[in-house]
Amino acid sequence: MMELDDLKNTWQQFSKTQLEQHRLDAEQIKQSLENRTFSAIGKIRRALSIDMALLAFFTLLALLYALFYNRQLLRLLLLAFGFIWAFTLFVNVGIHLLLNRVVNARADLRSSLLVLVSRLGIGLKTAYALSVIMPVVGVFFGYVWTSSHSLTWKIALLLLAIGLGMGIIFYPIMRWYTQKMLGNHYAELKQCLQELEEEEATG
């Protein structure tokens, strides 16, 4: 009888140890996923800062060129960069709010990360679409702004062809730039989300 009691005690001790080890492993996995998530978020923040710095550099360069060499373009560039800066600031503020939401939601990391991944995915697809649309809009707007001739169908088709041609050339550049700045970190966040979901499902 004593041997049976000893066997039960040994088995209970073993089960308790296994349970504690499983809990520790789960906590370590969760901590590792949190660290990877926050690391990717930090890299996205740095990428956004670099993007803003590059935009500021090219804005200053374009405006200085127009100011000293082509005053006719100055008003057009001011208007164009005004729209670009307004859109960029709107997007950046939105992304930073989403990033802060994830950082502050440690207790429910999966849900906030799900929202971030979903909206970043939509944002990347929108950026790719805009890389084709904006050259077309820019060509039409530039013609209407600078030309004294009325816009005919033939001119409109020519402008459309020019704009689409520019968009087709710009699209792979935009994909490469976006992938370099955000794509890899976005993929890391998606991987963290998938592993979090798997961990919660098995836990």
Side-chain angles (χ1 to χ4, degrees), residues 112-125:
S112 54
L113 189 54
L114 179 63
V115 174
L116 175 61
V117 167
S118 174
R119 294 187 183 176
L120 275 181
I122 293 171
L124 289 172
K125 290 177 183 176

Side-chain angles (χ1 to χ4, degrees), residues 29-196:
I29 291 171
K30 184 179 178 182
Q31 185 62 50
S32 174
L33 288 172
E34 282 186 1
N35 292 339
R36 285 168 53 195
T37 298
F38 297 148
S39 175
I41 285 174
K43 291 173 182 176
I44 289 174
R45 283 179 169 152
R46 285 194 295 274
L48 292 175
S49 298
I50 293 171
D51 184 63
M52 293 290 287
L54 288 173
L55 179 58
F57 172 75
F58 284 113
T59 300
L60 183 61
L61 204 64
L63 292 180
L64 285 175
Y65 168 79
L67 185 63
F68 291 109
Y69 297 104
N70 194 340
R71 284 291 185 99
Q72 187 182 2
L73 279 177
L74 187 58
R75 288 178 63 194
L76 176 61
L77 288 175
L78 284 171
L79 185 61
F81 278 111
F83 279 117
I84 292 171
W85 272 99
F87 176 76
T88 303
L89 288 172
F90 173 77
V91 170
N92 278 20
V93 168
I95 292 176
H96 276 294
L97 288 175
L98 287 172
L99 296 178
N100 289 338
R101 176 179 176 178
V102 174
V103 171
N104 295 329
R106 291 174 182 267
D108 192 13
L109 183 62
R110 188 189 66 81
S111 296
S112 54
L113 189 54
L114 179 63
V115 174
L116 175 61
V117 167
S118 174
R119 294 187 183 176
L120 275 181
I122 293 171
L124 289 172
K125 290 177 183 176
T126 302
Y128 297 150
L130 287 175
S131 68
V132 177
I133 296 170
M134 290 309 294
V136 177
V137 174
V139 167
F140 273 93
F141 187 76
Y143 179 86
V144 172
W145 186 273
T146 59
S147 178
S148 57
H149 301 289
S150 59
L151 186 65
T152 64
W153 279 107
K154 288 183 179 179
I155 294 175
L157 289 174
L158 178 62
L159 293 176
L160 179 62
I162 293 171
L164 285 175
M166 293 172 62
I168 290 170
I169 293 171
F170 186 61
Y171 178 77
I173 298 172
M174 183 65 178
R175 278 195 71 96
W176 173 84
Y177 176 78
T178 307
Q179 185 68 23
K180 197 75 174 174
M181 298 293 284
L182 292 175
N184 294 330
H185 313 316
Y186 169 68
E188 177 68 11
L189 290 177
K190 283 181 69 176
Q191 182 65 30
C192 288
L193 175 62
Q194 181 182 345
E195 291 181 25
L196 268 174

